């Protein structure tokens, strides 16, 4: 377009079309610096964000801890008192006897009602006295009236220096009020006690006790032994107690059963000895898939186990356990031609690898071996005796408890069976003696998380997801396949604490 | 030679080398744009710096609907307009009286160097300059410019007419010689 024909705007537009000018060199340095500052600012914001997240997490954890603490009522009985037998009494929490004299309600377990005349003749127990305290024969309250029951016994009591009363728990009740507050029943009990010649307990004491009413006693409670070593969940080391030095060995025993997946992890053995396989094909019962040697595999299947467990705590946080389990695993089905030995009347699955073997051909030619028409589907079931040995770390030890376990399991082959999955036309049972396709023993590494729930003080229900991985092959060297099985399972169990 | 896509990808991931490549590729062109809007060189540098930081921030939103160069140019212009906005508030644009048509023959824009053309534009009042740039050089319509600047379309038209009149006056023969003479005097 000629200049004279261009509009004013077009002239200017064309003049600046594609115009360029070199910015000063320092401009990029300025932009670079600004970008760096912006990045740093972003990092700072992120750091601040994560700080808030961390703070919120800590607060949440504290809130959760406090909630848990309150839920379990620990705030009501955080005691620094002694623990002996079944009676626990905190120094601060025990009301003065004088202040309770007028009350005919709310007696405390361990309260001494009256001292008897035999006190001086009772032998001291070092465990109770610590070697320096006074020992008496007294009539004491054994049972908690808050539960509508009251038992009174003649027992050895020990008054520790400046602190609590400790009661020999072997005391036998001499009077029992099964239903405190029921006057008619109480009168019967009083009469019975009189007939049996109650010693050390005066007539007025019996009547006084018989008028007791159940009442909530908030300042006393049963405290788990481990709780005395913690104050607000913080280990109390002031008394020189070692956190991990657990006195005694809490033994438990139980039963469990479980099921899960079984992945044979099989692959063609690197050193597969096909001559040996020829022998194995006739010596063992095996569900190897034999149509194509390249596709031989044990498919994934399932497992079932049941057995007994035993274990115990070796410290407050560490426990060990073992057991004896019957474990049946079933790799998935595979298919094979069936060879029947007329002499032994046994049938075997045939591997592709041995289809051209001389011994097979000779047997088939002589008629001592008969091959089936077509392939048949089979499944193996391997039976093991499993001995797990686990060490566990107790993460949570409350009514609901959580333990993380790891260990090893020994699997001892006790039998295998090969079954026709098409309806039992063929059913082969094996014995240990002809399980050459599988190792007699293989070992697993295992890890599990045990969730437990305490029932009735002594029983625990547990749910335990676990993962196991073999460290050696479950197949023998002669097997054309090599496999290190993995197993994911869940077991349900119950155990009893002795 | 990295493609635009590779450069964009690098810039989005925060690769400083890719950012430098993008700057090297477009900075000369964009500096020329910012010089048209800025009153002086330092202001043009500030506009370019701010614009490129916005470009690096916003590249992840670039969908490739337009050419990368055009997209960056829009950012430079917007940055320049934002920088000018305060000045426009200080000197609000109002309708100007109808101007007489410039008398006499003026030279064509192509008869001047880039430096001379830039000087002519920079000597325009702020409001006129922005509207002239947007209308005559960038190709926006009066209505679009009015919307961008928040003024009436009539204001845009009258301001543009004033800019056009002033520029035509400058483009008459002798302006260039006068400018050269002024340069000598200044030396």
């Amino acid at each position: 377009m000629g200049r004279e024909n261009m509009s004013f705007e077009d002239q200017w537009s064309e003049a600046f079309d594609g115009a360029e000018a070199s910015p000063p060199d320092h401009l990029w340095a300025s932009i670079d610096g600004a970008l760096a500052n912006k990045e740093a600012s972003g990092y700072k914001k992120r750091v601040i964000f994560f700080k808030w997240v961390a703070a919120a997490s800590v607060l949440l954890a504290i809130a959760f801890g406090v909630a848990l603490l309150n839920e379990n009522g620990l705030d009501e009985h955080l005691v620094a008192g002694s623990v002996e037998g079944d009676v626990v009494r905190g120094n601060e929490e025990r009301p003065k006897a004088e202040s309770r004299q007028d009350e005919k309600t709310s007696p405390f377990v361990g309260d001494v009602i009256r001292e008897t005349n035999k006190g001086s003749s009772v032998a001291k127990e070092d465990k109770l006295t610590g070697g320096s305290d006074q020992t008496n024969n007294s009539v004491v309250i054994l049972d908690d009236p808050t539960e509508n029951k009251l038992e009174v016994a003649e027992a050895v009591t020990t008054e520790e220096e400046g602190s609590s009363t400790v009661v020999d728990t072997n005391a036998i009740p001499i009077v029992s009020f099964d239903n405190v507050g029921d006057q008619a029943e109480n009168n019967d009990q009083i009469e019975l006690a009189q007939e049996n010649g109650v010693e050390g307990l005066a007539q007025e004491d019996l009547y006084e006790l018989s008028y007791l009413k159940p009442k909530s006693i908030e300042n006393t409670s049963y405290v788990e032994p481990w709780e005395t070593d913690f104050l607000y969940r913080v280990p109390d080391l002031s008394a020189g107690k070692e956190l991990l030095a657990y006195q005694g060995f809490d033994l438990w025993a139980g039963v469990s059963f479980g099921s899960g997946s079984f992945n044979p992890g099989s692959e063609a053995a690197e050193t597969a000895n096909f001559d040996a396989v020829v022998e194995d094909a006739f010596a063992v019962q095996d569900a190897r898939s034999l149509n194509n040697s390249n596709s031989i595999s044990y498919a994934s299947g399932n497992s079932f186990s049941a057995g007994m467990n035993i274990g115990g705590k070796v410290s407050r946080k560490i426990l060990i356990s073992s057991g004896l389990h019957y474990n049946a695993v079933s790799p998935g089905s595979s298919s094979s031609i069936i060879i029947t030995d007329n002499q032994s009347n046994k049938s075997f699955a045939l591997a592709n690898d041995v289809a051209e073997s001389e011994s097979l051909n000779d047997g088939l030619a002589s008629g001592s071996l008969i091959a089936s028409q077509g392939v048949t589907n089979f499944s193996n079931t391997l039976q093991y005796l499993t001995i797990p040995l686990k060490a566990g770390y107790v993460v949570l030890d409350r009514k609901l408890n959580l333990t993380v376990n790891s260990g090893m399991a020994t699997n001892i082959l006790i039998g295998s069976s090969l079954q026709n999955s098409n309806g039992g036309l063929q059913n082969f049972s094996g014995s240990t003696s002809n399980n050459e396709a599988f190792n007699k023993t293989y070992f697993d590494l295992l890890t599990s998380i045990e969730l437990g729930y305490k029932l009735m003080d002594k029983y625990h229900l547990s749910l335990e997801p676990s993962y196991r991985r073999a460290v050696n092959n479950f197949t023998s060297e002669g097997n054309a396949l090599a496999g290190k099985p993995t197993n994911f399972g869940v077991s349900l169990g119950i155990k009893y604490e002795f | 030679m990295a493609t635009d896509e590779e450069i964009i990808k690098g810039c989005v991931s925060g690769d400083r080398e890719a950012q430098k490549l993008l700057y090297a590729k477009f900075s000369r062109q964009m500096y020329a744009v910012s010089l048209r809007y800025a009153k002086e060189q330092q202001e043009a540098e500030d506009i370019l710096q701010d614009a490129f930081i916005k470009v690096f921030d916003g590249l992840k939103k670039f969908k490739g609907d337009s050419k990368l160069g055009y997209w960056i140019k829009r950012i430079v212009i917007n940055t320049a307009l934002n920088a000018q906005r305060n000045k426009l508030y200080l000197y609000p644009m109002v309708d100007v009286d109808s101007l007489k048509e410039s008398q006499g023959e003026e030279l064509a824009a192509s008869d001047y160097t880039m430096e001379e053309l830039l000087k002519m534009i920079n000597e325009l009042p702020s409001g006129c300059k922005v509207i002239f740039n947007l209308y005559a050089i960038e190709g926006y319509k009066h209505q679009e410019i009015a919307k961008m600047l928040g003024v009436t379309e009539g204001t845009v038209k009258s301001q543009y007419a004033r800019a056009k009149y002033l520029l035509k006056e400058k483009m008459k023969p002798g302006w260039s010689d006068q400018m050269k003479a002024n340069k000598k005097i200044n030396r």
Side-chain angles (χ1 to χ4, degrees), chain A residues 238-256:
Chain A
S238 60
K241 296 172 182 173
E242 290 182 31
L243 177 62
L244 294 176
Y246 191 75
Q247 301 298 317
F249 187 84
D250 279 352
L251 195 66
W252 56 261
V255 293
S256 67

Side-chain angles (χ1 to χ4, degrees), chain A residues 29-144:
Chain A
S30 299
I31 293 172
D32 194 19
L35 290 171
N37 284 337
K38 207 171 173 65
E39 280 176 14
S41 173
Y43 288 137
K44 279 179 189 172
K45 281 180 185 171
R46 257 178 279 175
V47 168
I48 290 168
F49 172 75
F50 285 120
K51 277 182 180 173
W52 277 107
V53 168
S57 302
V58 170
L59 280 175
L60 201 64
I62 290 170
F64 180 73
V66 169
L68 200 65
L69 207 62
N70 287 336
E71 188 184 341
N72 290 284
L74 267 183
D75 53 340
E76 289 182 358
H77 38 76
L78 283 163
V79 293
S82 62
V83 178
E84 290 294 346
D86 290 331
V87 181
V88 178
R89 189 53 55 104
N91 298 340
E92 307 88 337
E93 296 165 354
R94 182 174 188 166
K96 295 286 183 189
E98 297 78 23
S99 67
R100 294 190 291 115
Q101 276 181 346
D102 297 336
E103 298 177 14
K104 289 186 177 178
T105 58
S106 64
F108 282 67
V109 176
D111 273 359
V112 176
I113 296 168
R114 184 181 295 275
E115 289 193 0
T116 67
N117 297 326
K118 305 182 199 173
S120 58
S121 63
V122 178
K124 256 186 199 177
E125 290 186 28
D126 289 341
K127 185 176 78 169
L128 298 176
T129 63
S132 63
D133 304 319
Q134 294 180 348
T135 306
N136 296 307
N137 248 26
S138 308
V139 175
V140 296
I141 293 173
L142 282 185
D143 215 346
D144 190 348

